[in-house]
Amino acid sequence: MKKNLASPIFLFVLLILWQAAAMGMNAAYILPSPIQILKKLWELRDPLFRVHLPATMSVTALGLLISIGLGLFLAIIMDMNESVRRMLYPIVIASQTIPTTAIAPLFVLWFGYSIWSRVLVTILMTFFPVAITVFDGFQSTKREMEELMISFRASRKDIFLKLKLPGALPYFFSALKMAIPLSIIGAAIGEWLGAQSGLGYFSKRMMTQLDGAGVFAPIVLLSVVAMAIVAVISLIERIAIPWRKEL
Amino acid sequence: MLAFEHVTYQYDSKDSPIIEDLSFSVETGDFVSLIGVSGCGKSTIFKLINGILPLGSGTIRLENTSGIPAGYMPQKDLLFPWRTIEKNISLPLELRKTPAAEQKEQAARVLEEIGMTEYAQKYPKDLSGGMRQRVSFARTLLTGAPLLLLDEPFSALDALTRMSMQEWLLSEWSRYEKTVLFITHDVEEAIFMSKKILLVEDKPIRSLKSIDVPLPYPRKREYMARPEIIALRDELVNMLRKQVKI
């Protein structure tokens, strides 16, 4: 019970401190208070929930799906072939050294204001944790279990499908929980840098109007959505792999 | 049943072979224990027999069968946590593409024989250490192999469970009429269970000293108090202690 309450209590204390600091500063364009942000969220509920949230979620969903596909594909081929791993691994790592905010305007030049420029930013940020974490999952297969399978005359395909794949499921869920917030951040950054709708775009527009609460309102909405999706994934994980701690 | 003929094996990471020109044989239906100090290469012998390691030089002859010639039971039970007990033990059948109905039937039969029918749909996490080893043994049985390679299967169990498991394994051995090659560090366990003991005398392994255990089957615990058995135990312990380097 105490453990469950620690996080909400801490969050509540932070919000109180934030509220006090914002009231003391009295400059909403620099630091709006939590209450002002909530009020703004309510005032802007129609455009935020009907236009901009669906736009951001479309980019997030598309980017996340492609990232999961690409990440799994890379993890599988790197696990299956040592030469491929040696060839791809440094490139995958190098892809994460690219400053996304610097390169994203280029994507707008390539794809215009279409959804694909934002999806590409999302993929660039999201495929990496999926590829690396799932690959680590495959590699962490217990050698003794693999030897047991070999002693049963299992083929490489059998070892992959019946041992490595189920054994990497906990890693896949961890990757998913990392990838979801990153895909939302990726979509928002893409929208900040070039879009005509979406919560990132909306936040930027509010910035030009020096509306502090308006900048924060879509960000709060994004955080709440990310937390909700991660909570759902955690629930699915608990149901799907109750044996996680056994590995 | 099993014959090693001039087998030599060296790990790539080592400068010298761990097994050198080793020859020995195991007769059909025997229960043979292989004892030796830690790291002497006993498990390497098993890995060579079941094809986990590629044979360097020499020949390993196994009884001809259509399926797997040797069923391997490792030290840890290595049950897959995501599979039910029934699915765990039917893994060797599944890999041989046995029809699903037959897999279920054979798994049910073996589970009944080891007294664990009610655990068929449970997961490994629901089982005690002894039960997990019984399930692991059932899985080894379902390889259908005439030779069972048991690599210190009871080493992780507490003393009392271990004694029960030894007696249980002997009864299963006589029921299934398999040939068993059993690795253990425990001299008393080797004497209690085996018809013959093969002792690793040197490193690299060049030969195995063969010792017949002068006891009849079925084995009884009180046999272990016989003077000739105590003498044999002391002799084996002394031979092993000479090889131990601290």
Side-chain angles (χ1 to χ4, degrees), chain B residues 157-182:
Chain B
L157 302 177
D158 64 84
L160 291 176
T161 311
R162 191 173 179 152
M163 285 168 77
S164 306
M165 290 298 291
Q166 289 165 353
E167 287 156 17
W168 175 81
L169 179 59
L170 281 181
S171 67
E172 297 302 299
W173 168 63
S174 65
R175 184 214 300 247
Y176 289 103
E177 296 175 343
K178 301 276 186 184
T179 306
V180 172
L181 189 53
F182 185 89

Side-chain angles (χ1 to χ4, degrees), chain B residues 162-208:
Chain B
R162 191 173 179 152
M163 285 168 77
S164 306
M165 290 298 291
Q166 289 165 353
E167 287 156 17
W168 175 81
L169 179 59
L170 281 181
S171 67
E172 297 302 299
W173 168 63
S174 65
R175 184 214 300 247
Y176 289 103
E177 296 175 343
K178 301 276 186 184
T179 306
V180 172
L181 189 53
F182 185 89
I183 288 182
T184 179
H185 280 110
D186 184 339
V187 170
E188 205 143 332
E189 183 173 68
I191 296 172
F192 179 70
M193 304 194 69
S194 326
K195 191 171 178 184
K196 189 159 85 174
I197 294 172
L198 297 174
L199 176 82
V200 178
E201 287 186 293
D202 45 13
K203 193 179 171 184
I205 307 176
R206 294 190 186 89
S207 63
L208 297 169

Side-chain angles (χ1 to χ4, degrees), chain A residues 8 64 92 155 206 241 243:
Chain A
L64 189 61
V92 173
S155 63
M206 292 293 109
I241 48 170
W243 43 266

Side-chain angles (χ1 to χ4, degrees), chain B residues 49 57-58 72 77 88 100 103 115 120 126 131 141 144 161 182 189 191 200 208 216 220 223 234 239:
Chain B
I49 297 171
S57 66
Y72 176 51
D77 58 70
N88 258 295
Q103 282 179 36
D126 305 320
M131 284 169 150
L141 276 178
T161 311
F182 185 89
E189 183 173 68
I191 296 172
V200 178
L208 297 169
K220 292 178 181 155
Y223 291 168
D234 292 347
M239 281 195 273

Side-chain angles (χ1 to χ4, degrees), chain A residues 53-68:
Chain A
L53 181 63
T56 304
M57 286 300 106
S58 309
V59 176
T60 302
L62 203 53
L64 189 61
L65 277 177
I66 296 173
S67 296
I68 291 172

Side-chain angles (χ1 to χ4, degrees), chain A residues 130-190:
Chain A
V130 178
I132 296 300
T133 312
V134 175
F135 172 68
D136 281 349
F138 291 147
Q139 293 286 299
S140 69
T141 305
K142 282 184 185 160
R143 180 68 201 151
E144 301 116 297
M145 283 189 167
E146 218 171 317
E147 286 179 352
L148 184 75
M149 292 285 281
I150 294 169
S151 82
F152 293 157
R153 301 293 186 265
S155 63
R156 281 191 72 191
K157 186 178 147 202
D158 285 329
I159 292 173
F160 182 77
L161 291 177
K162 295 182 196 298
L163 175 61
K164 288 193 165 192
L165 206 58
L169 270 180
Y171 291 81
F172 173 70
F173 276 102
S174 295
L176 212 53
K177 285 187 279 183
M178 276 191 275
I180 286 164
L182 281 175
S183 63
I184 292 177
I185 294 169
I189 289 176

Side-chain angles (χ1 to χ4, degrees), chain B:
Chain B
M1 161 59 67
L2 165 71
F4 258 55
E5 291 166 5
H6 307 290
V7 171
T8 297
Y9 185 80
Q10 181 174 345
Y11 285 102
D12 290 341
S13 57
K14 301 284 177 188
D15 297 329
S16 55
I18 190 161
I19 296 170
E20 194 172 279
D21 196 30
L22 175 67
S23 298
F24 73 93
S25 63
V26 174
E27 296 303 317
T28 302
D30 275 2
F31 195 120
V32 178
S33 283
L34 185 59
I35 61 171
V37 294
S38 289
C40 69
K42 304 183 295 291
S43 295
T44 304
I45 292 178
F46 273 20
K47 287 180 180 179
L48 287 169
I49 297 171
N50 62 29
I52 292 170
L53 293 175
L55 189 58
S57 66
T59 312
I60 298 174
R61 293 189 198 285
L62 285 157
E63 190 172 280
N64 271 338
T65 61
S66 53
I68 300 169
Y72 176 51
M73 180 177 174
Q75 192 174 346
K76 294 178 196 157
D77 58 70
L78 299 183
L79 298 176
F80 293 0
W82 52 87
R83 285 177 163 250
T84 61
I85 299 308
E86 182 192 62
K87 284 282 176 192
N88 258 295
I89 67 168
S90 54
L91 180 63
L93 300 171
E94 200 178 309
L95 292 170
R96 285 211 307 268
K97 310 276 185 280
T98 307
E102 198 182 323
Q103 282 179 36
K104 213 169 166 58
E105 190 186 313
Q106 288 201 42
R109 177 180 53 78
V110 173
L111 279 175
E112 193 186 342
E113 283 165 0
I114 65 167
M116 292 191 63
T117 302
E118 68 271 35
Y119 294 94
Q121 298 312 317
K122 302 265 184 204
Y123 285 85
K125 66 179 171 59
D126 305 320
L127 271 53
S128 68
M131 284 169 150
R132 291 174 73 120
Q133 288 306 97
R134 275 153 67 190
V135 172
S136 177
F137 180 75
R139 180 178 58 189
T140 312
L141 276 178
L142 283 180
T143 58
L147 172 66
L148 305 184
L149 306 171
L150 314 184
D151 191 351
E152 296 185 59
F154 309 141
S155 60
L157 302 177
D158 64 84
L160 291 176
T161 311
R162 191 173 179 152
M163 285 168 77
S164 306
M165 290 298 291
Q166 289 165 353
E167 287 156 17
W168 175 81
L169 179 59
L170 281 181
S171 67
E172 297 302 299
W173 168 63
S174 65
R175 184 214 300 247
Y176 289 103
E177 296 175 343
K178 301 276 186 184
T179 306
V180 172
L181 189 53
F182 185 89
I183 288 182
T184 179
H185 280 110
D186 184 339
V187 170
E188 205 143 332
E189 183 173 68
I191 296 172
F192 179 70
M193 304 194 69
S194 326
K195 191 171 178 184
K196 189 159 85 174
I197 294 172
L198 297 174
L199 176 82
V200 178
E201 287 186 293
D202 45 13
K203 193 179 171 184
I205 307 176
R206 294 190 186 89
S207 63
L208 297 169
K209 186 178 171 70
S210 178
I211 301 144
D212 290 322
V213 178
L215 287 176
Y217 286 102
R219 295 279 160 91
K220 292 178 181 155
R221 285 285 162 195
E222 52 263 34
Y223 291 168
M224 301 305 286
R226 288 183 180 177
E228 70 272 25
I229 296 302
I230 293 171
L232 174 62
R233 188 192 64 197
D234 292 347
E235 185 193 351
L236 288 170
V237 168
N238 284 333
M239 281 195 273
L240 287 171
R241 286 192 70 182
K242 278 181 203 159
Q243 299 173 38
V244 175
K245 287 175 191 152
I246 301 171

